[in-house]
Amino acid sequence: MEQGSFQGAYNVFKIIIMKKKRFICLYFQVHQPYRLGRFRYFDIGRRGGYFDDDKNRAILDKVSAKCYLPATLLLQDLVRSYPGRFKCSFSFSGMVLEQLQEMNPKVLSVFQELLSQPEVEVLAETYGHSLSALASQKEFEKQVKRHGEMIMSLFHQQPAVLRNTELIYSDSIGKYAAEMGFKGILAEGADRILGWRSPNFLYAASEAPALSLLLKNYRLSDDIAFRFSQPGWNEGPLTAEKFVHWLNAIPEDEPLVNLFMDYETFGEHQWAESGIFDFLQALPEAVFQNSDFQFITPSEVLEQLHPVDRISMPEPVSWADEARDLSAWLGNPLQDDAFESLYRLQSRVENCADEHIQRDWQKLQTSDHFYYMCTKYFADGDVHKYFNPYDSPYEAFVNYMNVLADFELRLETAASLPPALRRSFKIQREAIPHRVQTD
Amino acid sequence: MRVLMFGWEFPPYISGGLGTACYGLTKGLMEHGAEVLFVLPRLFGGEDAGTMRMIGAAEAELPEEFSRFMEQGKMQLLQVNTALFPYATDKSYLSGDGAMGYDATFQSKTAMGGGLTGMYGSRLMDEVFRYASLAPDIAARHSFDLIHAHDWLTYPAGMAASSYAGKPMIAHVHATEYDRSGDFPNERVMQIEKMGMQSAERVIAVSEYTKKIAIKQYHIDEKKVDVVHNGVLPGSEKPEVRVDKTFPVVVFLGRVTFQKGPEYFLYAAAKVLRNNPDVRFVVAGHGDKLLSMITLAARLKISSRVSFTGFINSADIGQLFGDSDVYVMPSVSEPFGISALEAARAGVPVIISRQTGVAEVLKSALKTDFWDVDGMSDAIIALLQHNSLRRWMSRNGRQQARMQTWNKAASRVLTTYSKLLS
């Protein structure tokens, strides 16, 4: 009898607790690569200037106008309308921040304004939006550190949660993150890892239990990021009410829904005409009116929830394509040779103090260059083509390798090696009588 | 002496070595006092010009001395109404052109990419016979002593003109289907080649190597075949030797196709790089094997030392020769190989496969079998290591290339003419 009434009271208590503790964690990724210009064999050793400044500026301006400005102003409004209640998080690659600094400081200041609100958290990532975690722990840590310094100077925040490039995570990367002192990391909630388990809990890294894993709910995230305006989707048009209805359908004991997506979803991947901004604007109100969910930032998740289990990902998992592995960036012979050739230069770059070299080194590591070399969808054309400035992955590869060859030459001349150790090859050819001799 | 000559391309609108050869040869012939009626395929309006770049011979800007020859009445350019012209971007045409080389005057939309099928389309065959059907009319309207036809695309035209006018014909073999496709030739093309060579009164082969193929593969009577090696035009471009360069450059220049053996170049490159990791290799040219060669370089893990240029124009070729320390032509079967002479003329030491005609005149070149990547890499390493060897080869190669003039080639051709007319 006594025991029965305790059980009843406990159940009521549990429901109250559960009702209170259900969270939506919004995370937006902001990145633009430095796209390469055409770089021919004849340019090797003859000119610097790897990047297509005009194109990069044009794309940055376009994305700023369609997404960065309107979406950020809207989020500012939402944070002001629901103080302490509407929350979200961001991470920015060093690449997009450098470009905003150089070419569009106005947009940067709008971001700074939003990020100055306590409701908005900024996460750590690699400076170059690189795949360095797959090549070298040392390089990875250097990049995260360089990125952290930039975040501190621009946003005055010290990131406590890490998001690796393209949500790439593995047990090793978990260890790197824990060793750097991060308490949490974002990762993909891939079915093949989770099996019967749900992404809607907090997990811990199997090799580093002090590190918590926030796993992306890819179904609900992709409903917004990919399917929102997809023709023929039988759930379209998606409204905030419908989305909240889906949130409510999640079993009550699952406390966390991680919605991770590219920021460019708003206005760039999904155009304004699709109603994506209306959706975003209506979402907080719909959540507050019709559900028990609260918005939360990644750091708050770590305070509010405890990991329910350990998750192991021996092989890297990403958020790209159906495969959710590395095959968008690595795996074909072109990508692998380019990747290995790049990181063969690492120790030489470390010994080089030249700041131009260091900056180009970051830019050349950007994962997008390897994405352009992906042959998976070369035949039928797909999302890869949409993002690819080259006509073919082969062209992307050849161009990249020419740039890398030039970079290597610069590295050798800039390196503080004594002349005796520098490699050299003196041309000794017979003078051609009618030739223009250069001196 | 008046010659009715059937060709299919002429400078400046050339897609390969054949146009250059026709230019050099006709120039040499006229210097020797011969008169040439040069027939080129051409479109006369009405066709769908939108998809093709149409350049008729009349619009071609002729080199100055040709205008002079034309003024003196020594040369006439004739056009016939057919779509067969060398600037089509038709895939079948591109792959069917035996002499198609690196000097692509037409521009691909993209520098790289674009697959060539290596197959012959039916349209090309139609054009060949359409060209031939117009030949009797041309023969009727002009007087001439003999007919000279260049390669299989023009053999049917030459044969038609010959049988109409009752004048003897010479088949000039610049390349054969056997060279282009090895053991998997296009039967129809081979048939036309065989017919042309057999019905011609005399055959001119661009090398002893090609003469042997004509005898062995096409069963042509040995006594009927004369060898006339191609010449090389005096260098108009002055290669600007790059003196600031800190790395050696080894170059492959030509169509990236089965015939040219690009894979042997890459296998040899991989071996050289084990010996000297600083060498840079350049594969200059386009072709149906380009993408698989890019992949091969990546598989061999040498992409950081190999550049693929895709199509390359003549100005870039000059610069490339200026950059290059070694030129390699690993052709599986090369009737002549004029670009090896051009490299030699620019002072670049040359390594050629034994399966090339140019080996017969470029005596100083190092020679290996095309499949012998060990020999090829040894030769590259030796050239890069020994300045004295490189200097010696550069000097000798340039001398030998200089001696190989079109004027000399033309006088040999005139000997064939007189054999025919006597």
Side-chain angles (χ1 to χ4, degrees), chain B residues 42-52 54 81-83 127 130:
Chain B
R42 190 209 141 153
L43 280 167
F44 281 108
E47 286 82 359
D48 180 11
T51 58
M52 285 184 285
M54 311 238 179
N81 187 16
T82 155
E127 297 303 332
R130 183 166 163 69

Side-chain angles (χ1 to χ4, degrees), chain A residues 40 46 337 391 402 408 429, chain B residues 110 303 307 316 323-324:
Chain A
R40 305 166 69 215
R46 288 192 169 109
D337 197 22
D391 285 325
N402 283 340
E408 188 174 351
R429 199 185 296 169
Chain B
T110 60
S303 314
S307 290
D316 285 341
D323 275 10
S324 297

